[in-house]
Amino acid sequence: FFFFKQKTAYEMLRSLVGSEMCIRDRLIQMQQASRSDIDEEFEQQGPQHIDRLQELGINQSDIKKLVDAGFQTVESILFTAKKNLIIIKGLTEAKIDKIMEAATKLIPQGFTTAAQYYEVRQNILKITTGSKELDNLLGGGMESASITELFGEFRTGKTQICHTLCVACQLPKSKGGGEGKAMYIDTEGTFRPERLVEIAERFGLDGQEVLENVAFARAHNCDQQSKLLLQAAALMVEEKYSLLIVDSAMALYRTDFLGRGELSARQNHLGRFLRNLQKIADEFNVAVVITNQVMSQVDGTALFAGDAKKPIGGNIMAHASTTRLYLRKGRGESRICKIYDSPSLPESEATYAIGKGGIQAVSYTHLT
């Protein structure tokens, strides 16, 4: 009887241990399934890597040709005209048709309801500028999946806003960030990493870590400026970015193209560059912020206009920018931001200041 009781207890213990191991294994499986679901959801929301075309019968060699030509995602193929794909060396028209058909299967194209598009736009990020008043003016901050243009005279804070955004985009979404890295294309030599360290201290972030999360490149001519966008797309496929800055977008165009004789070539080149910027914004859901210079009007309308300054770039720049912000100097050390053009924001103004910690609220006690 004692032996039977001891054996029964042993079996019970073994059964309990086995059950515990089964429960533990089941929990591990559930955790792995949960992670898989999260990864799958992120993959569905984010851009589709171009390698997925191989699942639909596209040869790896043809995919490599697309990658070499600067195409990193399935979206980038769908956003490109067929005539621009045919010129890729080694790809015939028949192959392009097959690739386009496969891309359409992965990402269906066509009409959708406004309700469905409204749901899609819930994934749009709003990155804080560092100033609450300026954020309120922008409906929460700099919007992702669009191009925001900052234009104004010197000392109005264009570059300082860009530096502040490079830090703010790394914040959690709950604090007005994008939980991603920043990319900075500098065409005027005004990027200063030490400013990022100062701004990081204000937001309670580690300065060295902030610097590691900002990809920087200096452009010296328009062609190099455009080629950097190909590298930008390649980097965004590998890691999460939430911000792309071009400071400034027009500076090199003013020196590389001179006179009315080259105006048409300049505008065509600029149009392609801005279109590629919009593609990146749409593919990777990043906030694209560009700065622009101004020029003075010298025609007869300048006599009747209160402010004779206007942004350069012509209609190409005007139509490419989703939101245009006009920055000007205010009283004392204050600056004023005005909604110049926007599809959703009313024409209004907000004041801000530039401090050691970047863009901040105006201290009215110091105004004179």
Side-chain angles (χ1 to χ4, degrees):
F1 174 75
F2 177 75
F3 174 76
F4 174 75
K5 188 174 180 180
Q6 200 174 30
K7 183 178 180 181
T8 304
Y10 173 75
E11 289 176 347
M12 289 177 63
L13 180 62
R14 184 178 179 181
S15 176
L16 286 172
V17 172
S19 299
E20 184 180 349
M21 290 179 67
C22 289
I23 293 172
R24 184 186 64 188
D25 293 342
R26 179 59 182 157
L27 286 172
I28 292 174
Q29 291 175 359
M30 291 173 65
Q31 289 174 352
Q32 291 175 343
S34 177
R35 274 194 219 102
S36 178
D37 291 341
I38 292 173
D39 292 340
E40 185 177 351
E41 183 181 355
F42 175 77
E43 188 174 331
Q44 290 175 353
Q45 291 180 355
Q48 302 287 322
H49 197 279
I50 198 170
D51 285 339
R52 291 207 59 193
L53 292 174
Q54 197 170 1
E55 301 172 10
L56 299 177
I58 306 301
N59 294 330
Q60 182 61 38
S61 60
D62 292 337
I63 294 176
K64 186 178 184 303
K65 293 172 185 175
L66 289 168
V67 173
D68 292 340
F71 296 92
Q72 303 291 336
T73 65
V74 178
E75 287 87 348
S76 64
I77 296 172
L78 294 174
F79 293 163
T80 303
K82 181 180 176 180
K83 67 175 185 177
N84 294 328
L85 293 173
I86 294 176
I87 63 176
I88 299 175
K89 187 176 181 180
L91 294 180
T92 63
E93 185 173 357
K95 286 185 176 181
I96 293 298
D97 289 336
K98 185 178 179 181
I99 290 170
M100 294 288 286
E101 183 181 355
T104 305
K105 290 179 180 178
L106 289 172
I107 305 175
Q109 302 290 295
F111 284 100
T112 184
T113 66
Q116 291 173 321
Y117 186 57
Y118 176 80
E119 290 298 322
V120 171
R121 282 193 57 82
Q122 300 309 301
N123 296 320
I124 295 296
L125 301 174
K126 296 282 189 176
I127 301 175
T128 179
T129 61
S131 166
K132 187 175 181 180
E133 187 176 349
L134 192 52
D135 287 346
N136 292 336
L137 177 73
L138 300 174
M142 295 292 180
E143 187 178 79
S144 66
S146 66
I147 299 176
T148 301
E149 176 193 354
L150 310 175
F151 69 89
E153 289 184 290
F154 63 94
R155 290 191 69 247
T156 53
K158 300 186 295 294
T159 298
Q160 295 303 317
I161 291 177
C162 293
H163 280 70
T164 305
L165 289 171
C166 281
V167 178
C169 75
Q170 302 180 39
L171 293 169
K173 294 178 182 178
S174 60
K175 295 184 178 181
E179 297 180 359
K181 296 185 176 184
M183 193 171 293
Y184 202 112
I185 298 176
D186 181 16
T187 66
E188 296 184 309
T190 55
F191 177 74
R192 295 294 181 270
E194 53 268 29
R195 284 292 290 140
L196 299 184
V197 175
E198 294 175 341
I199 298 170
E201 183 178 350
R202 168 198 172 183
F203 286 103
L205 299 177
D206 179 74
Q208 186 61 36
E209 187 175 344
V210 165
L211 294 178
E212 293 292 338
N213 289 332
V214 177
F216 166 77
R218 177 73 192 277
H220 297 277
N221 58 67
C222 294
D223 293 333
Q224 184 185 6
Q225 181 175 319
S226 295
K227 289 178 181 178
L228 284 173
L229 296 187
L230 299 178
Q231 297 181 28
L235 288 173
M236 289 180 183
V237 168
E238 301 298 328
E239 296 183 278
K240 168 64 177 173
Y241 283 82
S242 57
L243 177 69
L244 170 60
I245 287 172
V246 183
D247 183 22
S248 82
M250 283 298 302
L252 297 176
Y253 284 94
R254 299 186 85 174
T255 56
D256 288 359
F257 297 90
L258 303 174
R260 291 185 176 274
E262 295 185 324
L263 181 60
S264 177
R266 186 191 83 166
Q267 293 303 88
N268 287 335
H269 196 291
L270 175 62
R272 289 192 296 270
F273 173 74
L274 294 174
R275 178 58 190 142
N276 289 333
L277 274 181
Q278 186 61 60
K279 285 181 184 178
I280 289 177
D282 292 334
E283 286 175 45
F284 302 100
N285 192 30
V286 298
V288 175
V289 178
I290 62 177
T291 66
N292 195 8
Q293 302 168 349
V294 294
M295 61 182 294
S296 297
Q297 289 181 271
V298 293
D299 55 10
T301 59
L303 298 174
F304 306 99
D307 193 341
K309 301 177 185 64
K310 64 177 184 179
I312 62 174
N315 291 329
I316 296 292
M317 178 67 76
H319 292 299
S321 301
T322 312
T323 302
R324 310 187 82 186
L325 304 178
Y326 176 30
L327 311 182
R328 68 181 191 272
K329 301 167 187 174
R331 294 176 54 201
E333 295 300 317
S334 67
R335 305 290 188 273
I336 300 172
C337 175
K338 178 182 179 180
I339 303 293
Y340 192 81
D341 182 37
S342 171
S344 58
L345 301 173
E347 185 174 320
S348 187
E349 295 182 350
T351 58
Y352 62 95
I354 304 170
K356 183 179 179 181
I359 302 301
Q360 60 189 33
V362 175
S363 177
Y364 291 97
T365 57
H366 291 86
L367 297 181
T368 56

